[in-house]
Amino acid sequence: MEEQPKLTDKDQSIVLRRLISYLKPHKKVIIFALFLLGLTVLGDVIGPILIKTFIDDYLTVRNFPQGPLIGLASAYIFIQLSNVFISYFQLLKFQEIALKIIQQMRIDVFTKVQNLGMRYFDKTPTGSIVSRVTNDTEAIKDMFVSVLVGFIQSAFLVVGVYIAMFILNVKLALVTLLLLPILFLIIRTYRRYSSVFYQDLRERLSQLNAKLAESLQGMSMIQAFRQEPRLKDEFNDINEQHWEAGKRNIKMDSLLLRPAIDLVYALALIMLLSYFGITSFNNTIEVGVIYAFVTYIDRFFEPINQVMQRLSIFQQAIVAASRVFKLLDEEELVPAQANTNARIEAGKIEFNNVTFSYDGKTDVLKNISFTANPGETVALVGHTGSGKSSIINLLMRFYEFEQGDILIDGESVKNFKVQELRQKMGLVLQDPFLFFGDIESNIRLHNQAMTDEEVRASAEFVQADAFINQLPDGYKQKVTERGSTFSSGQRQLVAFARTIATDPKILVLDEATANIDTETEVAIQSSLEKMRQGRTTIAIAHRLSTIQDAELILVLHQGEVVERGNHQQLLASKGLYHKMYLLQNGIVEETV
């Protein structure tokens, strides 16, 4: 798991400003919500003044005129009731804004993931990506929902409380200002250390997700090879690290959050009561003023306590946001394409001295050159790691190549729009991927322009209709995740059907018949022959019997083309292809 560098104060400020930028589209709603928030704060500030007036002007002097007291009580009750309703609406508006922001952020992240290059997925665990899209954005949502609203509300209330205290007693209000540096020091200390701890916690959570995703995806292998104890121990180890990270956070929270603020609160009360006690020897002290100041001190520290409690959420959100923004800033995008109107008409493919490396150090393809004419089949054979799949990856523009060029109809593959390449090239992999839905949607792939008749014609063309029509719901048969309820051969037939449904000019077959039984393979060979007519076909094959009719066979070894020709020519040359052919036939003869 790749560890992120520790966040400095400058990094946190940059992340926070970037998060705040998501508020811009909601300016009007925010202004309205802030206005409502200001009204609730005004009510909180006026309340103690009304109580102070009652104590000093009526209760202390035992003066109880009915009219003024009813007016005073009515005003107080009205303010409290109004605060209830106004608070409801302002919180509702802030929550709506927060949810909208997270909705947009998740769309941004998911869209970014869709546009990342294959190199990124090669080096990043799936679980880590899932953690950023789900857990990290959820942490950011908590910040917008509770932290920012709480911070703004606390700021309003602190300002309002200080204004009220200055109105009541300027000297005492100035004395209470001495508490602010202490509070800022506590907050600054907490932020400095908590960012490190929370970053470690988020990394451990990401590792948990990665290990869980890996275990779920490989469950059949885990059970088949009895790896459950090992995976359990590895998961427990990561879980223990996550627990330790969480414990460090709790220890820090227990020291620097409410206990530290409560200590400052006690100091403030001591200062307040000492001031009133000392001044009472020489001057008369109004009881209402004491009540108002004690109430204001309490209302001053309560939002500070809330801010400190929410600082933990804030720090988690900043760390989570830094991880999300790192993904959004990822530069490992799909290879860039020129914005031209080039079209694939015939489908002629030319590789001209193409050299390629996945890591920038070791070349997996070295000066690959060949031509596939329209209607011809070029087969790629060779031992594992010889570079067969890499040729397909470059042709499909999954990766960028360093040297040479790949031409389609005389135009560089880099000059076609991605949409043109995807529409004109049909890819069938060794392990076909089926989406959740039904058979029809997996063939149609949500192409609304494709009619039901075209869907069925595609299935009939590759002889997939035979098993589809036997299903209880036919083409509406539900497909679970990855098509796990269908056999490998059935999934492959559906993949063939959806490929031919797009009527591609170029067919790319990556061990397309490897997972199909012999009977099914024989049944679709005629379909493959029809599919190849008028189309350029690039086929990877381990079973040489499936590509004997190819016009050109390229034998690859350690990233180089070591032999080329048709089946008979390669056999006659008695080279590597001949050895592979004898080996395969020898295995068949021994089996028989």
Side-chain angles (χ1 to χ4, degrees):
M1 174 68 63
E2 179 186 357
E3 297 286 342
Q4 281 190 282
K6 303 306 179 184
L7 291 175
T8 63
D9 290 343
K10 182 179 179 181
D11 294 331
Q12 294 186 51
S13 299
I14 293 173
V15 171
L16 180 59
R17 287 198 298 270
R18 195 164 174 181
L19 282 173
I20 297 298
S21 68
Y22 275 87
L23 294 170
K24 290 181 181 179
H26 310 281
K27 286 182 180 178
K28 293 182 180 179
V29 181
I30 291 173
I31 292 174
F32 177 65
L34 288 176
F35 171 73
L36 295 179
L37 180 59
L39 291 179
T40 61
V41 170
L42 183 62
D44 289 336
V45 172
I46 292 178
I49 293 179
L50 295 179
I51 297 295
K52 177 261 179 191
T53 302
F54 169 71
I55 292 174
D56 290 339
D57 295 351
Y58 300 101
L59 182 62
T60 303
V61 297
R62 299 178 181 275
N63 179 28
F64 303 108
Q66 185 175 5
L69 286 178
I70 291 177
L72 199 63
S74 299
Y76 185 80
I77 293 173
F78 174 77
I79 289 173
Q80 299 306 312
L81 291 177
S82 298
N83 267 13
V84 170
F85 289 103
I86 295 174
S87 295
Y88 166 76
F89 284 108
Q90 64 96 356
L91 286 174
L92 180 64
K93 289 301 178 184
F94 277 121
Q95 293 269 1
E96 288 177 352
I97 294 169
L99 292 176
K100 282 287 186 183
I101 289 172
I102 299 306
Q103 182 185 44
Q104 183 60 51
M105 185 171 288
R106 281 182 173 153
I107 291 173
D108 292 344
V109 174
F110 188 79
T111 303
K112 179 69 175 188
V113 170
Q114 299 296 309
N115 290 291
L116 288 173
M118 290 300 171
R119 293 181 191 269
Y120 179 81
F121 299 103
D122 291 341
K123 66 184 180 182
T124 308
T126 303
S128 176
I129 301 174
V130 172
S131 181
R132 297 190 189 196
V133 178
T134 55
N135 296 334
D136 289 339
T137 53
E138 189 67 21
I140 297 171
K141 185 196 78 172
D142 293 339
M143 188 197 78
F144 278 112
V145 168
S146 59
V147 177
L148 285 184
V149 176
F151 282 6
I152 295 172
Q153 187 173 18
S154 298
F156 275 41
L157 190 56
V158 167
V159 171
V161 164
Y162 263 115
I163 291 174
M165 286 195 293
F166 271 101
I167 292 174
L168 291 174
N169 192 310
V170 175
K171 291 182 179 180
L172 190 53
L174 288 173
V175 171
T176 56
L177 283 177
L178 298 175
L179 301 174
L180 291 180
I182 302 176
L183 295 174
F184 285 137
L185 178 62
I186 294 174
I187 292 174
R188 181 176 177 80
T189 303
Y190 179 84
R191 283 194 59 197
R192 172 172 295 179
Y193 292 102
S194 63
S195 64
V196 177
F197 292 156
Y198 281 120
Q199 188 167 5
D200 184 46
L201 185 66
R202 302 307 297 186
E203 290 292 343
R204 302 307 171 198
L205 180 61
S206 179
Q207 292 176 13
L208 279 175
N209 278 291
K211 181 58 67 176
L212 179 61
E214 179 188 36
S215 300
L216 293 176
Q217 291 173 359
M219 188 58 67
S220 59
M221 290 296 100
I222 292 172
Q223 294 182 358
F225 289 96
R226 294 176 297 172
Q227 295 297 298
E228 296 93 336
R230 179 179 68 84
L231 268 296
K232 180 181 177 181
D233 290 341
E234 291 179 0
F235 187 83
N236 284 343
D237 182 56
I238 299 174
N239 201 26
E240 181 72 18
Q241 295 176 27
H242 182 265
W243 180 79
E244 290 289 346
K247 188 170 69 172
R248 288 194 296 270
N249 290 326
I250 291 173
K251 287 181 178 179
M252 182 182 59
D253 290 354
S254 300
L255 176 63
L256 292 179
L257 292 184
R258 192 166 194 111
I261 299 301
D262 284 346
L263 182 63
V264 180
Y265 172 65
L267 177 63
L269 283 180
I270 292 173
M271 291 172 54
L272 176 67
L273 296 178
S274 298
Y275 174 84
F276 281 120
I278 293 172
T279 55
S280 66
F281 291 118
N282 301 318
N283 301 297
T284 302
I285 302 297
E286 294 179 325
V287 178
V289 173
I290 298 176
Y291 165 81
F293 259 94
V294 171
T295 302
Y296 283 137
I297 288 293
D298 183 67
R299 293 196 177 183
F300 170 77
F301 275 93
E302 185 54 35
I304 295 296
N305 260 322
Q306 292 178 7
V307 167
M308 293 301 295
Q309 293 291 338
R310 288 164 176 162
L311 268 181
S312 63
I313 302 175
F314 174 78
Q315 288 302 134
Q316 291 185 63
I318 290 296
V319 171
S322 71
R323 289 162 48 81
V324 172
F325 290 144
K326 182 180 180 183
L327 175 56
L328 289 175
D329 295 337
E330 179 60 51
E331 297 180 353
E332 196 65 72
L333 303 177
V334 295
Q337 299 297 114
N339 188 21
T340 67
N341 294 320
R343 292 287 182 266
I344 298 175
E345 301 293 344
K348 181 180 179 180
I349 299 173
E350 298 174 78
F351 272 64
N352 294 331
N353 297 316
V354 174
T355 297
F356 171 67
S357 171
Y358 284 104
D359 58 8
K361 300 176 182 178
T362 305
D363 291 337
V364 296
L365 293 178
K366 305 168 187 175
N367 298 317
I368 300 297
S369 296
F370 68 88
T371 299
N373 293 309
E376 290 185 350
T377 296
V378 173
L380 308 175
V381 300
H383 298 301
T384 301
S386 59
K388 303 183 299 297
S389 295
S390 297
I391 290 177
I392 287 180
N393 286 336
L394 297 186
L395 177 62
M396 296 295 298
R397 295 295 285 157
F398 293 148
Y399 295 86
E400 187 63 88
F401 48 89
E402 288 77 24
Q403 299 176 25
D405 203 357
I406 301 173
L407 307 179
I408 300 179
D409 292 341
E411 190 78 37
S412 174
V413 72
K414 300 178 181 180
N415 292 336
F416 293 95
K417 293 179 180 178
V418 174
Q419 184 179 7
E420 176 69 10
L421 288 175
R422 300 294 180 255
Q423 284 181 342
K424 299 299 176 62
M425 286 198 285
L427 174 65
V428 181
L429 299 173
Q430 178 178 348
D431 184 19
F433 186 95
L434 298 188
F435 296 93
F436 183 86
D438 54 36
I439 293 288
E440 181 183 348
S441 65
N442 269 276
I443 297 176
R444 188 192 302 273
L445 289 183
H446 298 279
N447 181 3
Q448 301 303 321
M450 189 181 298
T451 64
D452 293 344
E453 290 72 21
E454 290 173 329
V455 170
R456 284 159 176 74
S458 300
E460 292 171 2
F461 188 88
V462 298
Q463 301 184 34
D465 60 318
F467 90 86
I468 295 176
N469 290 328
Q470 293 177 359
L471 298 173
D473 296 320
Y475 286 85
K476 296 297 182 181
Q477 182 72 27
K478 184 173 292 186
V479 177
T480 57
E481 186 177 4
R482 301 183 67 89
S484 58
T485 56
F486 296 98
S487 68
S488 297
Q490 289 172 333
R491 292 199 301 270
Q492 195 65 283
L493 286 172
V494 174
F496 271 106
R498 72 183 176 199
T499 298
I500 202 63
T502 61
D503 191 23
K505 292 292 183 182
I506 299 171
L507 278 178
V508 180
L509 309 176
D510 187 354
E511 287 293 333
T513 60
N515 291 330
I516 297 177
D517 58 83
T518 304
E519 181 180 352
T520 305
E521 181 182 348
V522 171
I524 68 171
Q525 282 301 327
S526 60
S527 299
L528 284 174
E529 291 179 9
K530 291 191 294 182
M531 291 172 64
R532 293 201 298 257
Q533 290 178 4
R535 296 185 176 92
T536 309
T537 303
I538 305 293
I540 292 178
H542 284 147
R543 285 187 282 181
L544 303 183
S545 59
T546 63
I547 46 92
Q548 291 182 12
D549 61 342
E551 282 78 10
L552 177 63
I553 300 174
L554 302 177
V555 183
L556 291 137
H557 180 66
Q558 295 183 352
E560 296 182 275
V561 177
V562 295
E563 297 177 24
R564 67 178 67 211
N566 59 35
H567 177 68
Q568 296 301 329
Q569 291 170 339
L570 292 174
L571 286 180
S573 67
K574 296 187 181 298
L576 181 58
Y577 182 86
H578 181 255
K579 292 179 181 179
M580 294 170 61
Y581 181 78
L582 291 180
L583 180 61
Q584 289 192 10
N585 280 279
I587 294 173
V588 171
E589 290 171 1
E590 291 176 7
T591 303
V592 175

